[in-house]
Structure formats: structure tokens, C-alpha cells
Amino acid sequence: MKRSRQSLLLSGAVGLTGCLALSLSACKVPEANAAESTAPKKPAAGKVVPASSKTPDARPGTDVKTPFAAVRRAFELNSVNANPFADNNGQIPAQSQYSGPLFNLSHDYPTSPVAPPANPPWIAALKGRPIGKDNAIAYVNALKDYIASDMKTLLYNYPQWDAAQAGWYNEPWLASIRESIHGTYVGSEFPANTFAASGLKVDMTTYVLTYYDDVAAYALGQVWGKTAMNPTLTNTSGQFPEGSIVVKAALTSALAQDWPVMEGATTWPLYVVPPNGPPTAPPQVMNASVMQFDIIVKDTKTAPKTGWVFSTLVYDKRVPGDAWAKMIPLGAMWGDDPNVNSTQNPSAPLMETVINPVAPAYSKATLGWGGRLSGPNDGAVVAPAYYNGQQVASVPASSCMSCHSVAEWPMKSFLLPSPTLPPQTVGDALVIEVPGSPGWMKWFQNQPGNVPLDPGTTPLDFDMVFAFKSLPAWQQATQGKSGMQAFEAADALHGAPPVNPRDLKYNGR
């Protein structure tokens, strides 16, 4: 369905991604515009170096291998840019490597509310019934069809992509971690054994990119205004309008030669430090496979308890048709099933998550607690984990909505069920709440986005880009502190921190 700016002016809301600043005390503010890129878009061309299983695994010292270590390294190598609307990290590939279009930040947010479609096709797909196992996948497919025209241009015809003209927007303050070609940033890093069953041969890094549509971008404007220098943080400013849609593309450094499930997947050229190599290596143009695509919609009619429906598409090489047809629903969720204790009653069915039974096996290997929705980029499985005085190999410990429920400012709880702030480790195992315990269930509530997880904080309506990326970056750039003093104070108290929080989470949403 082609989106018409005049008649549809659609939706967009929730974002998230990359662990921008749990501890940015070492960051220095560079000159404004240092990372600004205004290079014009050009026809795609150039030499691309594929990611390779033969890349040397050279890392100094005791670099702990967690799914989120790459995020920490990215921030250690980049300071927060003082220009909130800079496009990228200032590293531009030579024309001999790449001469195609570069990322341009879309930030001319609407100053008045934008009306969503009067009769959303995703709601019509439910056929007048509550969302559930019989119609949730139809709901996701209707969302997918609704945004198809724009997203197919973004994903598969990048020289023709113009986000501002199409009515899609980005968060400010993230230039320091954005690569210059597509504007992606590191999502997570996964050891090969995470997906050993599906044949992953090398450790992989994921890269993510989030867009808000016109409806959602009104909320961005309410918080950031025209300058993004003095955010308005009230109980209502960060609340997204009904009908808002937010999308997130996630790519993996693993190509088909490294991970057979990516055979035939669309690849994007990125200008990044090569994965599985020295973190101080210079960036190069390399390909990454489009693996996952999330669509999040503010729909209080369908999800009256939380206000949101989260959905995930994953690449499935078995599906006939073009590349967009091969992005099929992994599932949907509209609540965290707080009445289902999946530890005490592992066979109890979930009532607020539906997983597509025909989704590819690799995409279901990292589902969250009790099978709640979580995609292969989302890091819901803690491996290893430590609780009750013992270490266990792996524990599904989160879900899409569980992670997003911590969207508040300032953040007083970690993204995963951790008994302490900052989170602690025993050896290389993350200390977590006892699964299924009352402490654990704090992360599996059903509350609307205008109710913060922790009293005394500003609710941010499930938007983790606000809470975990752009606001900490703004505070670091303008005040010289990250805004995560609880983490920094605990680090100082212990001398050597037991774990760098940036190693632990964030999946880039």
C-alpha cells in the first residue's frame, strides 16, 4: 500500500537501540558539526568487502565475549557529538570504496498532530475480534503491507530513498555511533554458539536503524523541539499518539557463507570496523545481511492494557517471492502475560504473545521467557546467568515488551531482571533475579506507557531510544555526564567495576 502524505499521513512510535550511555564518563564533546555529512546522494556503486569467516580474531587482553560487547567498544571509540542533528560519526568511505548515497538524518518533526488512517487495515484484519492466536499473524501482515512501499524502497532501492519526503524520522544525538552509509549503529554481538543449531560458523555483530513515521514523530518534536538542546520531559511529552508506527531494520555481519540461513538475503553496504577483528581497526565498507524487521504500533483498542502491539519479521529463505515476501512474521505481542508464571508453570499457554509456527527455526532459538516474543537480534537470553548461588548455561530472561517497559527518565532499573543497579556478574555470568520470583515479575507487568516502571521517573511510553540512547547522549554532550550516575557511582565504589553495563544490553531497538 502506497503511503500518501496528504491522505494517510500515517503512524509511528516506539524506538530503541544500541547502548548509548550507561557509563559515558570517558566521553569528550567534540566540535559541533564534526560528524556532519552533507554529501549528496549518488547512484550506488563501488567496491564492497564481504564479511568473512577468515577474519582474524584478534582482541587485546581480556575482552569479555557478551552479546553486547561490541556496543561498548563502539562508544569507547567515539565521543558524543555536540551537534544533535549531525548525520554520522564523521567517517566517510573513499569514493574508490563506495560512491552511493549516504545517510541523512530526518529531523523536521511535525509541530502539530498528524492524523492516522481512520480505519487502520491492521485493525480491520482482526475482523472485529480481540487479537489472539487466530488473527495476530494477519494483523502483522496487514501492518507489513501498509508500510510496504516505503520499506521496500529503504531496504532494496536505497538510491531512491528519501526519508524526509516519505515522512519518516530519526532520533537526534546519535551521530557519534552512526556509520555514514545507512546510518546504522551496533546493536549486539553474539557468539557463534548462540545459533549453532542453524549453522552459524562465526561470531556475529548486528547493526540496527530505527525510523518513526509522521504520527510518532510529533512526539519526538514535543520532547526535542527545533534545537534538541533543551528536551521537554513531562508525563505527557513523551507519549506517542494513537496510530503511531515505528520500524527498525536489523542486519547481521554473517553472510550466507557464515550462516546458511542467510542464503539469498538482501545485503547492505556499511562503513564499519570489521567484526571479529581488532576494535581499533579502521572502518571499511562491508556487506551485512538484512535479518530482522520490527514494526511497533500504538493501538490502544487492540492492546488496552499496554497501548502497544509489537511485531517482528524475520528473513526466511524458504519463502518464494521477492526479498520483502521473504520477511515473514515471527510473531506479535501486546502484553507480557503477568498472570502466566512460565517458570512455575512452563506448560501454561501465553495469552498475549503469538509465535508463528512456520517461522524459521533460527528465529525461534532466542525467544524470551516462556516463549514470549523476542527476535534473533534482541538478546533476551542471558548466557551464562547466575542466581540462587549457582551458574546456569542460559536463561530466557526478557521479551520485547519487558525490555521496553524500562523506558523512563532517569532509568532506575536495568533492562533485564537484575536485583542490582548496576547489574553485577559472577565470573562472566550476569546475576539475575530468580526466574518467576516476585522480583523477576517486576519486568513482566502490563502497564500503559504513561506509567513508569519506577516511581519518581518520567514515563517514556516504551521508547528505549529516548531512555537509553538519545537522552543520555544529550546529557553527556551538554552537561558532561551520562545521566547514569547510579552505574558510575557503583563502579567507583567497587574500584574495578564487575561488569561494564554496555556489555550487557542493548539490542538497538
Side-chain angles (χ1 to χ4, degrees), residues 106-118:
S106 177
H107 59 85
D108 189 14
Y109 311 127
T111 56
S112 57
V114 176

Side-chain angles (χ1 to χ4, degrees), residues 430-444:
L430 176 68
V431 178
I432 60 173
E433 294 276 7
V434 176
S437 68
W440 175 276
M441 295 305 296
K442 173 184 176 180
W443 278 262
F444 293 91

Side-chain angles (χ1 to χ4, degrees), residues 35 37 74 78 86-93 98 101-105 154 158 174-187 206-209 211 249 251 268-273 283-288:
S37 169
N78 295 281
D87 292 323
N88 58 60
N89 59 15
Q91 298 173 333
I92 310 297
Y98 175 81
L102 299 176
F103 174 78
N104 292 301
L105 189 80
L154 168 64
Y158 193 49
L174 303 185
S176 301
I177 56 169
R178 288 191 190 276
E179 55 86 27
S180 57
I181 297 178
H182 280 89
T184 68
Y185 39 92
V186 172
T206 66
Y207 307 90
V208 297
L209 175 63
Y211 278 101
L251 300 95
W268 279 9
L270 308 178
Y271 193 53
V272 295
V273 174
Q284 69 180 40
V285 178
M286 59 158 249
N287 277 332

Side-chain angles (χ1 to χ4, degrees), residues 17-301:
T17 197
C19 184
L20 168 78
L22 279 183
S23 178
L24 283 176
S25 56
C27 286
K28 297 179 182 178
V29 180
E31 293 294 322
N33 300 317
E36 185 83 44
S37 169
T38 57
K41 293 194 172 186
K42 306 169 187 173
K47 180 170 57 180
V48 174
V49 180
S52 172
S53 58
K54 299 183 183 299
T55 305
D57 189 11
R59 298 178 197 276
T62 57
D63 187 19
V64 177
K65 193 72 167 175
T66 73
F68 310 99
V71 176
R72 171 176 56 82
R73 289 200 297 273
F75 279 100
E76 288 174 345
L77 295 171
N78 295 281
S79 300
V80 176
N81 193 297
N83 174 14
F85 300 128
D87 292 323
N88 58 60
N89 59 15
Q91 298 173 333
I92 310 297
Q95 291 250 335
S96 60
Q97 294 185 62
Y98 175 81
S99 59
L102 299 176
F103 174 78
N104 292 301
L105 189 80
S106 177
H107 59 85
D108 189 14
Y109 311 127
T111 56
S112 57
V114 176
N119 299 295
W122 50 93
I123 294 180
L126 299 177
K127 300 186 182 302
R129 295 177 286 120
I131 191 170
K133 64 180 181 179
D134 295 331
N135 55 13
I137 301 303
Y139 180 102
V140 177
N141 279 325
L143 273 172
K144 177 189 175 186
D145 291 344
Y146 184 69
I147 63 173
S149 179
D150 285 348
M151 294 304 106
K152 289 170 79 169
T153 302
L154 168 64
L155 292 173
Y156 315 121
N157 190 15
Y158 193 49
Q160 301 303 313
W161 173 247
D162 187 325
Q165 183 177 7
W168 293 91
Y169 302 83
N170 311 106
E171 278 271 13
W173 286 114
L174 303 185
S176 301
I177 56 169
R178 288 191 190 276
E179 55 86 27
S180 57
I181 297 178
H182 280 89
T184 68
Y185 39 92
V186 172
S188 306
E189 186 177 73
F190 294 93
N193 61 14
T194 306
F195 296 98
S198 54
L200 182 61
K201 301 173 185 175
V202 296
D203 300 340
M204 76 179 191
T205 299
T206 66
Y207 307 90
V208 297
L209 175 63
T210 301
Y211 278 101
Y212 301 72
D213 80 334
D214 320 62
V215 181
Y218 173 72
L220 299 187
Q222 292 301 290
V223 170
W224 292 114
K226 288 297 183 183
T227 68
M229 299 303 292
N230 297 290
T232 300
L233 294 170
T234 69
N235 287 348
T236 58
S237 62
Q239 300 299 302
F240 289 89
E242 186 76 6
S244 290
I245 294 175
V246 177
V247 299
K248 182 194 71 178
L251 300 95
T252 171
S253 60
L255 303 181
Q257 66 203 49
D258 306 315
W259 199 11
V261 297
M262 290 295 112
E263 180 183 356
T266 296
T267 58
W268 279 9
L270 308 178
Y271 193 53
V272 295
V273 174
N276 298 332
T280 55
Q284 69 180 40
V285 178
M286 59 158 249
N287 277 332
S289 306
V290 177
M291 170 183 67
Q292 180 176 325
F293 195 86
D294 295 334
I295 311 171
I296 309 168
V297 60
K298 184 71 173 283
D299 181 357
T300 58
K301 179 178 180 180

Side-chain angles (χ1 to χ4, degrees), residues 432-472:
I432 60 173
E433 294 276 7
V434 176
S437 68
W440 175 276
M441 295 305 296
K442 173 184 176 180
W443 278 262
F444 293 91
Q445 304 177 44
N446 277 351
Q447 293 185 156
N450 61 0
V451 177
L453 190 68
D454 295 291
T457 65
T458 299
L460 295 173
D461 204 9
F462 288 86
D463 190 289
M464 287 305 302
V465 176
F466 271 147
F468 210 56
K469 296 190 67 64
S470 56
L471 281 168

